[in-house]
Amino acid sequence: MQTIGYAAASAQSPLEPYHYECRELRDNDVAIEILYSGVCHSDLHTVKNDWGWTVYPTVPGHEIVGRVVQVGSQVNKYKVGDHVAVGCMVDSCQECTHCHHGEEQFCEQGFTQTYNSVDRHTQELTKGGYAKHIVVRQEFVLSIPASLDLAKVAPLLCAGITTYSPLRTWNVGPGSQVAVIGMGGLGHMAIKLAAAMGAHVTVLSRSESKRSDALELGASDFLISSDLERMQQAANRFELIIDTVPTKHDITPYLPLLNVDGTLTLVGQVGLIAEVNTVPMVMGRRRIAASLIGGIAETQEMLDFCGRMNILPEVEMIKMEQINEAFERLEKSDVHYRFVIDMQASSF
């Protein structure tokens, strides 16, 4: 299948139209016409090679909503015309303990990422959602609840599951005390999801300007991290703090806010964090953890939960040809709260 996407040729290059051929369908594959593709901060990191593992040319995008246009002979979950979704993974070994437990993101052989990853069968580089089409094995294709607006679903496939998974891991439910650091693409989803689970949600922010947004999204409280008096009053309050900040920063000031056995989990920063003072950890048996995405079963659970609770991200729609401008704005945190590329409105 011939298709076209937007690719970066190097860390210094803008994304430009790129023609290529999707791989042939295997018996268990689903071919998808992409309708919407979310823009994730990790797409920007990958294009800029901030993590040092980008292979060029790279076609980013792992928040994909589309329509099935062809299926392999052994596909039994989907049919032509179905609206489906694809997230951050397109394959795994399917044989190890983690895969059998529905946690393909921890596959012992390494999961195959939706883009910038080596296909375990063809050894070709996978290409993502900034394109017209994609081919994915059926086990990694997800169903979209009919109640959800297709145009807004895409960010759930990364931002949604990245914040849903730690909420489920640490058993957040009615009455739980949860704090969220940062109110960007990840943070605003953490607020919505935790609130829908019945938690009392507090947003920790450096800026008073985000208070009204936080409360509108479902937060019950708002705390300025530089207000030392309020921070001291909030000591020992939270069972879980979800830290969504995507850059190196100091987490020590937040640790005293955790109750005994409380956890601060990192979901934004990939790489170094500032040196941590262990005193508040020792004094409260507090933990620093981190969380990736979720497995396919948990991602489907998240989509179904969002369908029941009518949870969708706040998005700004763009055309594919606006992606370089969107990346510039993303670097400045100038987006409210996620970009979604409308492939049908794009002219590339």
Side-chain angles (χ1 to χ4, degrees):
M1 180 188 295
Q2 292 291 328
T3 193
I4 181 173
Y6 259 54
S10 73
Q12 294 76 39
S13 303
L15 280 85
E16 296 179 327
Y18 175 69
H19 293 266
Y20 62 97
E21 190 173 280
C22 294
R23 62 174 170 79
E24 289 187 13
L25 259 71
R26 297 188 277 265
D27 289 343
N28 62 341
D29 278 340
V30 177
I32 301 166
E33 176 192 4
I34 298 173
L35 304 177
Y36 302 99
S37 183
V39 178
C40 179
H41 209 282
S42 60
D43 298 340
L44 176 60
H45 283 305
T46 301
V47 165
K48 299 298 183 184
N49 200 23
D50 290 338
W51 296 324
W53 56 61
T54 305
V55 179
Y56 298 97
T58 186
V59 178
H62 58 204
E63 301 176 342
I64 299 167
V65 169
R67 181 187 299 112
V68 176
V69 293
Q70 192 177 351
V71 296
S73 60
Q74 294 181 11
V75 171
N76 51 28
K77 293 174 62 179
Y78 305 101
K79 63 183 185 301
V80 172
D82 286 349
H83 287 124
V84 294
V86 178
C88 302
M89 301 182 286
V90 291
D91 206 353
S92 71
C93 79
Q94 298 286 283
E95 296 176 353
C96 70
T97 300
H98 299 301
C99 286
H100 281 306
H101 287 169
E103 293 192 317
E104 298 90 345
Q105 73 273 30
F106 301 129
C107 175
E108 292 174 8
Q109 295 184 24
F111 70 87
T112 303
Q113 297 178 65
T114 305
Y115 69 93
N116 195 58
S117 191
V118 176
D119 184 290
R120 64 185 58 242
H121 301 281
T122 66
Q123 306 306 305
E124 296 174 302
L125 193 69
T126 57
K127 298 175 178 65
Y130 292 13
K132 292 287 191 181
H133 303 91
I134 192 170
V135 175
V136 181
R137 66 178 294 174
Q138 74 164 339
E139 292 88 348
F140 289 79
V141 177
L142 298 144
S143 299
I144 301 173
S147 60
L148 294 178
D149 182 350
L150 288 179
K152 296 182 178 181
V153 165
L156 295 178
L157 281 305
C158 180
I161 186 58
T162 297
T163 50
Y164 182 87
S165 187
L167 291 169
R168 294 286 283 122
T169 297
W170 281 281
N171 300 312
V172 168
S176 296
Q177 288 281 350
V178 175
V180 177
I181 305 173
M183 237 180 70
L186 289 173
H188 94 288
M189 284 308 310
I191 296 166
K192 287 191 174 195
L193 290 166
M197 292 175 180
H200 183 284
V201 183
T202 298
V203 171
L204 300 168
S205 178
R206 294 176 300 174
S207 171
E208 177 68 29
S209 64
K210 295 187 176 181
R211 180 185 294 272
S212 60
D213 265 14
L215 299 178
E216 187 175 334
L217 290 167
S220 303
D221 201 359
F222 189 86
L223 181 57
I224 302 294
S225 56
S226 59
D227 187 337
L228 298 183
E229 183 178 351
R230 291 267 342 260
M231 289 284 279
Q232 289 173 356
Q233 292 171 355
N236 307 304
R237 179 184 299 177
F238 303 109
E239 300 153 43
L240 178 67
I241 298 177
I242 298 182
D243 185 339
T244 71
V245 177
T247 55
K248 183 178 178 181
H249 60 288
D250 184 10
I251 64 173
T252 298
Y254 304 109
L255 296 178
L257 305 181
L258 291 169
N259 204 342
V260 174
D261 285 327
T263 301
L264 183 149
T265 183
L266 299 157
V267 298
Q269 166 64 345
V270 178
L272 298 174
I273 60 173
E275 189 174 61
V276 176
N277 186 330
T278 64
V279 171
M281 297 175 65
V282 172
M283 299 305 293
R285 205 163 58 205
R286 302 173 174 111
R287 307 179 191 90
I288 298 170
S291 183
L292 189 57
I293 47 174
I296 294 301
E298 189 172 59
T299 304
Q300 187 64 63
E301 175 186 298
M302 177 272 305
L303 287 171
D304 294 341
F305 178 76
C306 289
R308 291 194 305 273
M309 305 300 289
N310 194 29
I311 297 172
L312 285 164
E314 304 298 314
V315 305
E316 178 179 337
M317 305 301 296
I318 62 170
K319 298 178 182 179
M320 188 71 256
E321 49 268 34
Q322 296 173 295
I323 188 59
N324 292 301
E325 177 190 346
F327 268 17
E328 291 176 6
R329 289 179 55 193
L330 193 59
E331 284 190 290
K332 301 173 185 175
S333 298
D334 178 23
V335 54
H336 192 87
Y337 282 91
R338 296 288 276 205
F339 289 117
V340 172
I341 305 164
D342 184 342
M343 294 300 175
Q344 300 163 101
S346 302
S347 58
F348 74 111

